């Protein structure tokens, strides 16, 4: 399968030039296929945010390279803006970047920078709002009158409106209530289904990662610790604990149950599956 | 652009624990004012030379690396050179030494003015940056509050405290704001905002997506801070005591005496030579 993004031996230091420079990201290599959802997890300060800012050219690697559709994004530094339209990056707490008078105008900011105008711009914004469920009555409201969760949805839609082929989100659900979280997660799913984009999500919520992601990228102290299928990552509970992470809560419960009854499986990571398994388990037990 | 913001060094405190670091901040402020006055009183080359020696001596005493001071001079070097040249060629006075093209004449008076202007500016910057390098912003504001406390007799005590508190808070929040600005700039760049290219008008317009979020978050921060301060029963300066008090010591006396010596030297050199 061909890859949309390839990262090769990427290293980055915030104070490059200083003699004893410390790397925020060191010798990281991985690749992302078309339409894949990658979850990025890691302890605070492990270099997640630094890593993803390289993918759309906000940071330039100290060493190594980033290939977008097989082409080094820094081959033509003048065209780095085009890279930013193809690789949309939603920062942490994106609601703090809203600035326009109306929701519509704010979502239109990105597409406008791409050179769209008039009807094309209008249909672009309306289209994305339909996909992510922002209703028309909101268009003329001031973004500052919205609730926290709504603001964040508008801000994310502002990046999605550029229709990037790769959508990157830095802790998109941090600090939201359960409903706000569900809204954002379904927004991301809808966007990916509609546009077939690859998605990279940084998150601390292991439950959501287990449901959403195809693969997990685990960062530890600036280095890539594990990059593998969700199943293979969460089966290494001890290793995750060691670097300050954990398996999803349901899996922890299964581990505790397993101490009482060695037959109980511990390789289930989503709540739905665990419920199904445990309900069936009693029945199977009686049968045996 | 992000790099540029980082490079502005705010609150440039450089802790080396020297004799000067240990002086009371009030002493340092008063002596700084005193020194600046005497820099401008120096009238002839000898007294200017004494000023140079004096400044060099206290800089050495501070144990702050020379490159920190040079960095400050470097940024305004063009201005110094320009004013010195201007003074060299215009104004005349004294005997004519030689004439360049276009009737540009170099006179002893011109040289005197050029040397004095350049010398005074350089020394002024060096000695002022010494204060910020050796005194934490908090100590500086505390000292200002303490020095201005005589305004109490005009019933202005509350105002002095409020001013000092505002200064402390402003200083405290500069790094936060710089960080915030960088974040917002990056977020808008990720949406294709172009901050570098375009005509002047475009550049000004490009600032709007940065300034508005910055303004809003500053106001939000101000409310949060005010609430947090009220929760800890802050109600202005009345009845407030300090955990870290400024105290004069024998060091301050020594510094003051040394300064008197220097000032005496300037006066003597001014009169005698
Ligand atoms: N703008 C910056 N300037 C200097 N150092 C930074 C900056 N941003 C992050 N760092 C440092 O880089 C390292 C990685 O940080 P970051 O990528 O933000 O980690 P994470 O997103 O995983 O919490 C940390 O040690 C952090 O202190
Ligand atoms: Mg981060």
């Amino acid at each position: 399968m061909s890859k949309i993004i390839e990262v090769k031996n990427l290293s980055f230091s915030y104070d490059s030039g200083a003699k004893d420079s410390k790397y925020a990201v060191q010798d990281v290599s991985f690749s992302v296929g078309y339409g894949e959802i990658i979850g990025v997890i890691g302890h605070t300060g492990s270099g997640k945010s630094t890593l993803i800012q390289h993918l759309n050219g906000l940071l330039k690697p100290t060493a190594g390279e980033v290939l977008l559709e097989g082409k080094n994004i820094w081959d033509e530094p003048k065209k780095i803006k085009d890279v930013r339209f193809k690789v949309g990056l939603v920062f942490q707490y994106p609601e703090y970047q809203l600035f326009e008078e109306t929701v519509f105008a704010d979502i239109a900011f990105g597409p406008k920078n791409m050179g769209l105008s008039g009807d094309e711009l209008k249909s672009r914004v309306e289209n994305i709002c339909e996909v992510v469920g922002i209703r028309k009555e909101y268009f003329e409201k001031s973004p500052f009158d919205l609730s926290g969760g709504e603001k964040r949805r508008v801000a994310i839609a502002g990046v999605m409106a550029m229709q990037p082929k790769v959508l990157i989100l830095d802790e998109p659900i941090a600090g939201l209530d359960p409903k706000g979280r569900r809204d954002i997660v379904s927004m991301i799913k809808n966007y990916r289904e509609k546009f077939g984009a690859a998605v990279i999500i940084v998150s601390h919520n292991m439950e959501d990662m287990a449901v959403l992601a195809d693969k997990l990228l685990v960062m530890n102290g600036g280095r890539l610790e594990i990059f593998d299928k969700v199943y293979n990552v969460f089966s290494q509970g001890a290793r995750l604990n060691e670097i300050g992470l954990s398996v999803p809560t349901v899996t922890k419960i299964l581990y505790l149950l397993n101490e009482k009854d060695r037959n109980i499986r511990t390789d289930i990571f989503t709540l739905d599956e665990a419920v199904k398994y445990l309900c069936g388990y009693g029945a199977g037990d009686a049968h045996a | 652009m992000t790099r540029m913001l980082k490079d502005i060094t705010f609150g440039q405190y450089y802790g080396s624990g020297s004799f000067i670091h240990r002086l009371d901040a009030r002493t340092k402020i008063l002596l700084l004012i005193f020194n600046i006055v005497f820099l401008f009183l120096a009238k002839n080359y000898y007294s200017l030379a004494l000023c140079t020696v004096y400044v060099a001596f206290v800089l050495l005493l501070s144990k702050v690396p020379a490159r920190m001071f040079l960095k400050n001079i470097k940024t305004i070097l063009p201005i110094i050179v320009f004013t010195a040249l201007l003074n060299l060629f215009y104004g005349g006075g004294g005997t004519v030494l030689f004439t360049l093209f276009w009737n540009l004449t170099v006179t002893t008076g011109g040289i005197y003015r050029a040397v004095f202007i350049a010398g005074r500016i350089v020394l002024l910057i060096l000695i002022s940056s010494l204060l910020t390098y050796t005194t934490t912003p908090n100590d500086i504001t505390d000292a200002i509050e303490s020095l201005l406390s005589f305004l109490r007799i005009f019933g202005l005590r509350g105002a002095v405290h409020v001013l000092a508190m505002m200064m402390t808070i402003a200083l405290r929040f500069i790094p936060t704001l710089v960080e915030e600005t960088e974040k917002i700039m990056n977020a808008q760049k990720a949406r294709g905002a172009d901050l570098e290219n375009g005509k002047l008008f475009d550049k000004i317009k490009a600032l709007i997506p940065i300034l508005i979020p910055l303004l809003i978050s500053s106001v939000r921060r101000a409310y949060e801070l005010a609430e947090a301060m009220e929760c800890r029963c802050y109600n202005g300066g009345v009845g407030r005591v300090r955990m870290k008090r400024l105290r004069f010591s024998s060091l301050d006396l020594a510094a003051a005496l040394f300064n008197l010596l220097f000032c005496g030297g300037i006066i003597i050199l001014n009169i005698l030579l």
Side-chain angles (χ1 to χ4, degrees):
Chain A
M1 190 169 78
S2 66
K3 301 292 181 186
I4 187 158
I5 280 192
E6 271 180 88
V7 174
K8 290 185 177 165
N9 304 100
L10 182 134
S11 294
F12 180 80
S13 154
Y14 276 100
D15 52 348
S16 61
K19 270 169 255 150
D20 53 347
S21 54
K22 199 179 140 278
Y23 287 99
V25 169
Q26 197 164 6
D27 198 22
V28 168
S29 305
F30 67 93
S31 54
V32 181
Y34 287 88
E36 265 185 332
I37 301 191
I38 309 286
V40 180
I41 57 177
H43 199 266
T44 304
S46 59
K48 305 181 296 292
S49 301
T50 308
L51 175 65
I52 57 171
Q53 285 177 57
H54 282 88
L55 305 183
N56 75 337
L58 276 176
L59 293 175
K60 197 173 174 178
T62 312
E65 54 187 19
V66 177
L67 307 182
L68 176 61
E69 301 186 298
K71 213 163 137 280
N72 185 339
I73 61 169
W74 288 101
D75 273 351
E76 289 171 277
K78 288 233 166 66
K79 292 202 176 157
I80 200 70
K81 233 165 105 176
D82 295 345
V83 172
R84 293 188 187 146
F85 297 133
K86 281 186 192 153
V87 182
L89 173 57
V90 179
F91 273 85
Q92 209 172 349
Y93 300 110
E95 55 273 30
Y96 295 143
Q97 68 188 5
L98 299 170
F99 71 98
E100 283 281 13
E101 281 168 63
T102 66
V103 167
F104 183 91
D106 214 295
I107 296 176
F109 180 66
K112 227 155 89 186
N113 287 329
M114 295 171 78
L116 299 187
S117 60
D119 283 346
E120 212 182 351
L121 181 66
K122 193 159 170 268
S123 70
R124 179 65 81 93
V125 175
E126 282 171 354
N127 182 249
I128 202 70
C129 288
E130 206 182 300
V131 173
V132 301
I134 293 174
R135 290 196 309 276
K136 277 203 164 140
E137 334 41 308
Y138 279 87
F139 284 4
E140 294 311 314
K141 280 195 183 176
S142 161
F144 304 109
D145 291 340
L146 305 179
S147 76
E150 288 170 336
K151 271 187 201 163
R152 190 169 299 181
R153 270 163 64 198
V154 169
I156 295 177
V159 173
M160 289 176 169
M162 304 188 301
Q163 295 185 359
K165 293 180 182 172
V166 182
L167 179 68
I168 308 175
L169 306 106
D170 197 349
E171 309 203 11
I173 54 172
L176 289 182
D177 52 68
K179 162 130 191 345
R181 282 217 303 267
R182 277 200 302 274
D183 286 347
I184 302 279
V185 167
S186 72
M187 238 179 120
I188 297 170
K189 275 186 178 158
N190 287 348
Y191 179 80
R192 188 185 87 114
E193 260 162 44
K194 183 85 199 238
F195 296 99
V199 179
I200 301 176
I201 308 175
V202 177
S203 177
H204 286 295
N205 189 314
M206 301 299 161
E207 282 74 22
D208 285 338
M209 285 285 148
V211 178
L212 262 177
D214 301 317
K215 279 176 157 184
L216 287 182
L217 193 157
V218 185
M219 292 292 291
N220 182 26
R223 290 178 176 276
L224 193 153
E225 180 86 17
I226 317 171
F227 180 53
D228 210 336
K229 297 240 163 61
V230 175
Y231 180 91
N232 295 336
V233 173
F234 281 146
S235 336
Q236 308 181 45
R239 190 165 168 201
L240 290 178
N241 268 327
E242 230 168 79
I243 58 175
L245 298 172
S246 72
V247 295
T249 313
V250 279
T251 314
K252 276 191 226 164
I253 294 172
L254 289 174
Y255 268 107
L256 290 176
L257 290 173
N258 179 269
E259 278 174 21
K260 305 273 181 232
D261 177 352
R262 289 288 157 199
N263 292 324
I264 289 188
R265 282 168 57 189
T266 55
D267 57 349
I268 294 169
F269 311 113
T270 65
L271 188 60
D272 288 351
E273 257 181 85
V275 169
K276 211 159 39 172
Y277 168 68
L278 286 177
C279 291
Y281 185 79
D285 208 34
H287 181 74
Chain B
M1 188 108 173
T2 33
R3 282 243 83 83
M4 197 182 75
L5 284 174
K6 270 264 147 61
D7 288 342
I8 306 170
T9 46
F10 289 109
Q12 332 179 304
Y13 183 72
Y14 184 93
S16 69
S18 76
F19 169 77
I20 299 194
H21 286 76
R22 279 177 284 144
L23 290 178
D24 189 300
R26 288 169 296 183
T27 313
K28 282 186 267 191
I29 291 176
L30 289 177
L31 290 182
L32 175 65
I33 296 169
F34 207 56
N35 286 167
I36 290 171
V37 170
F38 272 83
L39 271 181
F40 283 89
L41 284 182
K43 272 200 311 215
N44 57 35
Y45 289 122
Y46 299 100
S47 43
L48 189 66
L50 178 64
C51 290
T52 312
V53 170
Y54 168 81
V55 170
F57 179 72
V58 287
L59 292 198
L60 275 179
L61 210 57
S62 74
K63 290 190 191 150
V64 177
R67 72 185 145 79
M68 308 276 293
F69 292 106
L70 290 180
K71 198 175 67 189
N72 285 350
I73 297 287
K74 221 170 79 186
T75 43
I76 55 144
L77 195 64
I79 300 172
I80 300 176
V81 171
F82 181 72
T83 25
L85 285 179
L86 219 61
N87 277 277
L88 183 62
F89 293 122
Y90 297 95
T95 52
V96 177
L97 293 176
F98 52 88
T99 308
L100 297 170
F101 48 93
W102 298 331
N103 291 340
L104 277 182
T105 53
V106 174
T107 64
T108 49
I111 290 182
Y112 173 87
R113 260 198 309 280
V115 168
F116 266 74
I117 283 284
R120 275 180 188 148
I121 298 179
V122 170
L123 293 178
L124 192 76
I125 289 163
L126 290 177
I127 193 100
S128 317
S129 45
L130 185 68
L131 177 72
T132 50
Y133 280 140
T134 62
T135 322
T136 61
N138 275 340
D139 279 350
I140 293 180
T141 43
D142 279 359
I144 290 175
E145 183 175 352
S146 165
L147 288 174
L148 291 181
S149 61
F150 70 90
L151 290 175
R152 194 171 12 196
I153 54 173
F154 304 115
L156 284 176
R157 187 193 159 131
V160 172
H161 172 80
V162 167
L163 262 171
M165 184 53 93
M166 272 160 52
M167 263 178 79
T168 312
I169 292 173
L171 284 171
R172 158 65 188 78
F173 273 95
I174 286 171
T176 314
L177 276 183
V178 170
E179 200 178 301
E180 185 103 6
T181 312
E182 278 179 5
K183 262 192 211 148
I184 294 171
M185 272 167 61
N186 275 336
Q188 306 300 24
K189 271 200 229 162
R191 292 208 277 168
D194 192 341
L195 307 175
E196 275 115 35
N197 304 314
K199 297 196 192 69
L200 183 67
F201 183 67
D202 295 329
K203 278 188 182 164
I204 294 172
K205 243 174 62 182
L207 285 180
I208 295 174
I210 294 162
L211 290 182
I212 290 180
L214 195 62
L215 196 74
I216 289 169
S217 80
S218 305
V219 171
R220 184 173 49 86
R221 264 180 218 290
Y223 274 117
E224 282 170 7
L225 182 68
E227 217 156 276
M229 285 167 82
E230 275 173 6
C231 286
R232 296 185 212 173
C233 304
Y234 177 81
N235 57 0
V238 189
R240 217 166 117 83
V241 291
R242 295 190 175 284
M243 188 157 99
K244 240 181 86 189
R245 288 169 101 166
L246 297 168
R247 278 220 177 81
F248 288 117
S249 67
S250 49
L251 291 181
D252 298 284
L253 189 64
L257 287 177
F258 179 68
N259 257 266
L260 279 180
L261 213 66
F262 157 67
C263 300
I266 300 270
I267 293 170
I268 292 169
L269 286 175
N270 267 346
I271 294 169
L272 290 187
L273 297 161

